[in-house]
């Protein structure tokens, strides 16, 4: 039932964005699936051959395997189970890890894809149990992005117990690659929605902007609290309401702090980052959520071509310095 509801929400969302629900046949081709631990949808708004949308499906399924920490055929899985030995991987995986290391350095370790041993302890879907302090403390001692050693086309983990989890950056990378593929195929108008990672290609076919809703925190119907106008941009939202469970009055959410091994303490319900690259938006939305409002706002205001919408724990909507100026243009 949960996935059926998510699929309905995604489909309605994409149709709302496109303003093109009258398209039929080879115009308005859509690929919808459950991959990357979420519901995804890619909608082509131009006339296109069905082989193009099949190419999107192939690409998504390849990445779903490649970046999985649970699929034995995946490169991340193989790195995690190599017991410290070097593993030969694709250019995609090398590039993804290099990007992750860049954001680890930028954030002084707030962002860290070696959090896998910690994230493996937490189950926000079924078990919904808080791991013991002993297990958390043991796992967090394996977290250190400096344990990643890259050499040409190989990846090695200097600590045999370190585990990679690229969930905080992979969907952004994949969305960017889907966009590259569609542009190569001559597509000028499309919406890529990888479960909270939205990347638009161009404008709507009529030349108008896309209007992307930002979900009201903890609202299960997907009701938006505000919206953002986009043209050829990505918006990625990280929110503590996206995956969580309650024990008594306490909320345990999926945005884990690498330093503590527990859900981060933050004064934000969500952060939405708007910029050209979905990977950049993906990484920064996680970093900002971990930082909290004040430090996150300072970071975003120092970066070029990056804007943010913050939803605080009072459900207040706040913006980075130049956001409203750009939205009025």
């Amino acid at each position: 039932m949960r996935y059926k509801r998510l699929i309905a929400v995604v489909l309605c969302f994409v149709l709302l964005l496109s303003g093109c629900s009258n398209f039929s046949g080879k115009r308005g081709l859509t690929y919808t699936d459950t991959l990357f631990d979420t519901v995804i949808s890619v909608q082509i708004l131009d006339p296109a051959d069905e082989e193009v949308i099949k190419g999107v499906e192939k690409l998504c399924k390849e990445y779903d395997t490649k970046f999985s920490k649970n699929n034995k055929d995946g490169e991340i899985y193989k790195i995690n189970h190599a017991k410290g030995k070097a593993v030969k991987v694709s250019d995609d995986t090398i590039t993804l890890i290099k990007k992750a290391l860049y954001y680890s350095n930028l954030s002084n370790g707030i962002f860290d894809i070696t959090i896998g041993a910690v994230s493996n302890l937490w189950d926000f879907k079924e078990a919904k149990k808080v791991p013991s302090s002993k297990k958390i403390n043991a796992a967090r001692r394996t977290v250190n992005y400096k344990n990643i050693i890259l050499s040409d086309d190989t990846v090695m983990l200097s600590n045999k117990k370190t585990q990679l989890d690229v969930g905080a950056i992979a969907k952004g990378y994949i969305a960017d690659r889907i966009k590259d593929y569609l542009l190569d195929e001559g597509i000028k108008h499309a919406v890529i929605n990888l479960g909270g990672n939205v990347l638009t290609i161009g404008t709507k076919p009529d030349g108008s902007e896309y209007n992307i809703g930002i979900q009201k925190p903890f609202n299960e119907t997907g009701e938006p609290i505000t919206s953002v106008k986009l043209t050829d941009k990505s918006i990625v939202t990280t929110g503590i309401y996206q995956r969580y469970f309650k024990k008594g009055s306490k909320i345990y959410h999926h945005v884990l702090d690498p330093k503590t091994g527990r859900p981060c303490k933050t004064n934000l319900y969500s952060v939405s980052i708007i910029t050209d690259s979905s990977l950049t938006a993906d990484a920064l939305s996680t970093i900002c959520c971990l930082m909290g409002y004040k430090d996150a706002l300072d970071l975003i205001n120092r970066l070029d071509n990056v804007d943010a919408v913050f939803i605080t724990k009072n459900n207040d909507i706040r913006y980075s310095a130049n956001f409203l100026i750009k939205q009025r243009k």
Side-chain angles (χ1 to χ4, degrees):
M1 289 298 293
R2 184 174 69 88
Y3 281 129
K4 289 180 181 178
R5 184 168 66 250
L6 282 171
I7 289 171
V9 169
V10 169
L11 285 175
C12 290
F13 182 61
V14 172
L15 289 174
L16 174 66
L17 301 185
S18 69
C20 304
S21 56
N22 292 326
F23 288 166
S24 61
K26 294 184 179 180
R27 193 170 191 177
L29 292 171
T30 301
Y31 167 59
T32 302
D33 209 337
T34 302
L35 296 173
F36 323 126
D37 200 30
T38 190
V39 177
I40 69 169
S41 179
V42 179
Q43 187 176 33
I44 299 172
L45 305 178
D46 296 318
D49 190 277
E50 289 185 3
E51 290 303 312
V52 177
I53 205 73
K54 289 180 181 178
V56 171
E57 178 180 5
K58 180 181 178 183
L59 200 61
C60 287
K61 289 182 175 178
E62 286 177 354
Y63 281 125
D64 186 53
T65 297
K66 186 178 290 184
F67 295 153
S68 172
K69 63 177 183 176
N70 299 316
N71 190 319
K72 292 182 179 180
D73 294 325
E75 293 182 356
I76 298 301
Y77 179 94
K78 291 176 181 177
I79 294 167
N80 286 345
H81 291 79
K83 297 181 179 179
K85 295 180 181 178
V87 178
K88 187 174 182 179
V89 297
S90 64
D91 289 343
D92 281 317
T93 298
I94 291 291
T95 301
L96 182 72
I97 293 175
K98 283 182 177 179
K99 291 289 187 180
L101 292 175
Y102 168 81
Y103 286 106
S104 292
N105 284 306
L106 177 71
S107 65
N108 293 317
I110 290 175
F111 184 90
D112 197 326
I113 62 168
T114 63
I115 199 170
V118 170
S119 60
N120 287 340
L121 296 176
W122 292 88
D123 183 351
F124 296 94
K125 290 183 179 179
E126 297 177 3
K128 298 182 179 180
K129 292 181 179 178
V130 180
S132 69
S133 294
K134 182 179 179 180
K135 288 183 177 180
I136 290 174
N137 290 335
R140 69 183 178 85
R141 284 194 287 270
T142 71
V143 179
N144 189 335
Y145 66 94
K146 294 179 181 179
N147 291 342
I148 301 174
I149 300 173
L150 301 179
S151 179
D152 297 325
D153 59 353
T154 66
V155 182
M156 185 175 73
L157 301 176
S158 60
N159 183 331
K160 296 179 182 180
K161 294 183 179 181
T162 292
Q163 300 275 288
L164 302 185
D165 183 342
V166 297
I169 197 171
K171 287 191 295 180
Y173 180 86
I174 296 163
D176 288 339
R177 299 292 76 75
I178 295 170
K179 178 178 180 178
D180 290 342
Y181 164 76
L182 290 175
L183 289 175
D184 287 345
E185 293 295 327
I187 301 302
K188 297 179 180 179
H189 309 92
V191 180
I192 301 161
N193 184 349
L194 305 186
N197 293 54
V198 177
L199 179 58
T200 64
I201 296 179
T203 62
K204 296 180 187 178
D206 64 4
S208 62
E209 295 173 298
Y210 298 96
N211 193 39
I212 313 296
I214 297 175
Q215 184 179 334
K216 185 176 182 180
F218 299 103
N219 186 295
E220 293 185 1
T221 66
E223 176 188 346
I225 191 170
T226 188
S227 63
V228 174
K229 293 182 291 185
L230 290 187
T231 296
D232 211 35
K233 293 273 187 180
S234 178
I235 179 170
V236 178
T237 298
T238 294
I240 66 171
Y241 59 86
Q242 291 168 328
R243 281 184 291 155
Y244 71 96
F245 62 86
K246 282 186 175 182
K247 291 293 181 182
S249 61
K250 189 169 184 179
I251 291 176
Y252 295 89
H253 58 81
H254 79 290
V255 186
L256 301 174
D257 186 339
K259 306 299 181 186
T260 67
R262 298 174 181 275
C264 70
K265 295 180 180 180
T266 180
N267 55 3
L268 293 167
Y269 275 154
S270 74
V271 182
S272 300
I273 300 294
I274 303 100
T275 191
D276 294 335
S277 163
S278 193
L279 181 147
T280 299
D282 208 359
L284 288 176
S285 66
T286 299
I287 291 169
C288 287
C289 196
L290 285 159
M291 279 183 164
Y293 174 67
K294 185 177 179 181
D295 289 341
L297 178 64
D298 180 63
L299 171 65
I300 298 304
N301 286 342
R302 287 188 282 111
L303 298 176
D304 293 331
N305 192 34
V306 179
D307 295 295
V309 180
F310 304 95
I311 311 298
T312 72
K313 283 197 170 181
N314 295 321
N315 267 338
D316 291 334
I317 305 170
R318 300 183 182 181
Y319 306 96
S320 54
N322 297 317
F323 174 81
L324 293 176
I325 296 172
K326 293 177 182 178
Q327 289 288 293
R328 293 189 187 106
K329 289 181 178 181

